[in-house]
Amino acid sequence: MYAKQYDITLPADYDMGIIRKRVADGGRVLDDRAGLGLKAYVIRERGIDDSPVNQYAPFYLWNDVSAMAHFLVGGGFQNIIRDFGRPVVRHWTGVACHPGPARTAFPQAASRRLTPIPADPDPDRTGLGLAAAIEREIQDLRALARHDDVHTAALAIDPQHWQLMRFVLWNGPVGRDEAATERYEVLHLSAPGLADLPTGRSW
């Protein structure tokens, strides 16, 4: 499993209805994309749910890294480049993924939590501090995935910047007790390979 997301931040007075129409008209184009686990077409609107910006921020979980590479440079991503320029594409290696009780419902919201991993998480000098920290996060993800409104919960790592990313799809508003750095509205979900996403840890 591989996670990918790009944030397109738009002007403060941007009409987000344009993005809504874009997704309504073209969102289904990836509904049968080979190698794709899911794509959540998510937005944030300035002044709503504490968002400081207008933003279009599609999020992907890929089952096939080759299919992801083809999407970026061989066909699919050109529409984003044409309309918005070429954004920075963040990517993370999958650590764990869990279906929630609301997996069969259409998710209404999503949350993302970005957490830096301490530079020295290894107080015992065994070399196992990082593994222990990740294991705690995996256990937390497993517990979160039992929430009645969770559709899918995923955890991934960026080993360049040593950062963890937790992304959760929700059937309803994101819970106020969820520690999220961003909260999104889901406009559409393409999920051709949802059943093929790993359950539990990715190794």
Side-chain angles (χ1 to χ4, degrees):
M1 183 183 72
Y2 215 72
K4 182 185 79 175
Q5 187 177 31
Y6 42 91
D7 301 333
I8 299 170
T9 301
L10 301 159
D13 60 352
Y14 190 85
D15 179 6
M16 293 300 287
I18 297 171
I19 301 297
R20 292 178 182 277
K21 185 176 187 306
R22 176 190 183 90
V23 173
D25 290 347
R28 290 171 179 77
V29 71
L30 294 184
D31 283 0
D32 59 357
R33 185 80 178 208
L36 176 65
L38 66 82
K39 175 182 178 179
Y41 295 75
V42 299
I43 62 169
R44 294 199 288 163
E45 290 196 65
R46 188 170 184 259
I48 297 177
D49 211 4
D50 300 326
S51 175
V53 295
N54 288 324
Q55 196 172 70
Y56 178 42
F59 177 88
Y60 305 73
L61 290 177
W62 291 90
N63 288 313
D64 184 333
V65 176
S66 296
M68 182 183 74
H70 182 263
F71 174 82
L72 280 173
V73 299
F77 195 53
Q78 73 276 2
N79 293 336
I80 288 291
I81 295 173
R82 178 195 65 208
D83 296 339
F84 300 105
R86 190 177 65 192
V88 170
V89 179
R90 305 184 72 169
H91 50 98
W92 302 265
T93 300
V95 172
C97 186
H98 288 281
R103 173 58 75 88
T104 59
F106 177 81
Q108 304 296 314
S111 59
R112 185 180 75 173
R113 187 190 71 178
L114 299 174
T115 307
I117 300 171
D120 186 10
D122 193 26
D124 298 331
R125 299 292 185 264
T126 62
L128 298 174
L130 176 62
I134 298 300
E135 184 60 34
R136 288 192 295 270
E137 291 289 340
I138 291 173
Q139 297 299 325
D140 288 348
L141 187 78
R142 182 180 295 118
L144 174 64
R146 299 189 188 107
H147 190 290
D148 287 345
D149 285 338
V150 168
H151 176 284
T152 300
L155 181 71
I157 187 169
D158 172 359
Q160 178 181 0
H161 302 101
W162 290 112
Q163 184 183 67
L164 281 170
M165 184 278 302
R166 185 167 84 184
F167 190 86
V168 185
L169 291 168
W170 301 83
N171 179 31
V174 177
R176 275 294 160 192
D177 57 346
E178 168 64 3
T181 46
E182 292 84 21
R183 296 165 184 262
Y184 303 99
E185 178 186 354
V186 179
L187 301 182
H188 179 67
L189 183 72
S190 293
L194 186 64
D196 297 326
L197 288 171
T199 296
R201 66 174 71 244
S202 296
W203 62 87

